[in-house]
Amino acid sequence: MRPCESSGLHGALTGDPRAAAQSRNRAGNSVSANQIYHEAIKALATNAIGNGALASPHGRALIDNPLCGDRVEMDVRLVDGRIAEVAHQVRGCLLCRAAASVIGKHAAGADSGEIERVSQGISDMLAKQTAAPSGWQELDVFAPVHGHRSRYRCVMLPFEALLAALASAGGAVKK
């Protein structure tokens, strides 16, 4: 079974009403693939801000999700304990690529504490429908993912990779 089938999105994508009926959030409202994979998500994924690799990263991490096949490699370079540069290579779905792009756009200047706060904030936003983390309002594009637990990890994987890359850098202060 493909991940989109297990999440109920297969029916929304193919028009199968039985499978589409499985794609309901907790309130019982049908959420179509078009609502989850909307134009803003597609634009972020296509723009792929930060896509690539750093020549000499201070930290690097590779995280994958064996359930769906998404894989994120994240590189960071730090200056005075803050992210000076970030780059990512993503082999994954639109949600995963879009989340990595948001990181590419906003992570520079952040320290590990802020990234932990943002990571917890997006997790809460997905699970509890809270507001996007302060300073990262662009993460609001992931609001329609709420209620589709099988998609949460797609959004979270780049944040997990960034936190792991920061940990591998050991908070190094480099020039």
Side-chain angles (χ1 to χ4, degrees), residues 63-120:
I63 306 285
D64 69 325
N65 182 351
L67 295 176
C68 70
D70 287 352
R71 172 177 261 175
V72 177
E73 184 168 14
M74 192 74 64
D75 293 347
V76 293
R77 187 168 324 179
L78 304 176
V79 173
D80 296 329
R82 297 193 167 276
I83 298 171
E85 292 180 86
V86 63
H88 56 81
Q89 296 180 58
V90 178
R91 186 190 76 207
C93 69
L94 284 173
L95 295 172
C96 192
R97 294 187 341 245
S101 190
V102 172
I103 287 171
K105 185 173 184 178
H106 292 284
D111 62 17
S112 61
E114 179 177 353
I115 299 303
E116 288 172 7
R117 176 189 66 79
V118 171
S119 181
Q120 184 60 54

Side-chain angles (χ1 to χ4, degrees), residues 123-140:
S123 179
D124 289 346
M125 189 182 99
L126 294 171
K128 302 174 188 172
Q129 287 187 304
T130 61
S134 171
W136 293 65
Q137 278 72 24
E138 198 162 12
L139 291 172
D140 278 336

